[in-house]
């Protein structure tokens, strides 16, 4: 992952000629060049690209991919913080109280079947 950070700094902080080099390279080539593990590519990078840009790394320029990763990982890192439930489980803390509320007669008397 450090390799991608270095490439991003080189690419996005570099001159236009450097950016053009990355734009001619596919993201797949970039991952190979910086020895990004197959597991990191398959478990994180490829799914992120498929969701964010609707294409696999083989069809995307390295420049576009690094711009996306910069946007998510560096520029807006605090926008994607995970919040953990303090007590109990998601079911106990969120789902059950909401279901109880909806099943009360005065709230519409939702009937759960199944």
């Amino acid at each position: 992952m450090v390799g991608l950070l270095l490439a991003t700094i080189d690419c996005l902080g570099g001159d236009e000629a450097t950016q053009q080099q990355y734009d001619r390279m596919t993201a797949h080539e970039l991952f190979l060049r910086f020895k990004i593990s197959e597991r990191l590519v398959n478990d994180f990078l490829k799914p992120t690209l498929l969701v964010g840009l609707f294409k696999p790394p083989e069809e995307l320029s390295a420049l576009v991919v690094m711009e996306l990763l910069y946007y998510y990982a560096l520029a807006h890192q605090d926008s994607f913080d995970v919040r953990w439930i303090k007590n109990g489980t998601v079911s106990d803390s969120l789902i059950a109280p909401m279901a109880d509320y909806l099943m009360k007669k005065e709230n519409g008397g939702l009937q759960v079947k199944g």
Side-chain angles (χ1 to χ4, degrees), residues 56-97:
E58 298 81 10
E59 297 180 30
L60 294 166
S61 89
L63 176 64
V64 169
V65 168
M66 286 188 287
E67 287 174 341
L68 176 81
L69 294 175
Y70 171 79
Y71 179 83
Y72 282 124
L74 299 174
H76 295 89
Q77 186 175 15
D78 59 348
S79 299
F80 299 98
D81 284 346
V82 174
R83 302 288 185 234
W84 300 105
I85 292 179
K86 292 181 181 180
N87 299 317
T89 65
V90 171
S91 179
D92 294 341
S93 301
L94 296 174
I95 306 300

Side-chain angles (χ1 to χ4, degrees), residues 19-71:
Q19 290 181 351
Q20 287 176 356
Q21 287 178 331
Y22 283 103
D23 198 31
R24 286 190 294 272
M25 181 189 321
T26 68
H28 178 72
E29 293 166 340
L30 175 78
F31 299 157
L32 292 175
R33 179 177 288 181
F34 284 91
K35 297 178 175 61
I36 306 301
S37 75
E38 187 175 339
R39 181 173 179 207
L40 179 60
V41 170
N42 290 332
D43 290 354
F44 174 70
L45 294 169
K46 190 172 185 176
T48 300
L49 297 176
L50 288 169
V51 168
L53 298 172
F54 307 106
K55 290 186 181 258
E58 298 81 10
E59 297 180 30
L60 294 166
S61 89
L63 176 64
V64 169
V65 168
M66 286 188 287
E67 287 174 341
L68 176 81
L69 294 175
Y70 171 79
Y71 179 83

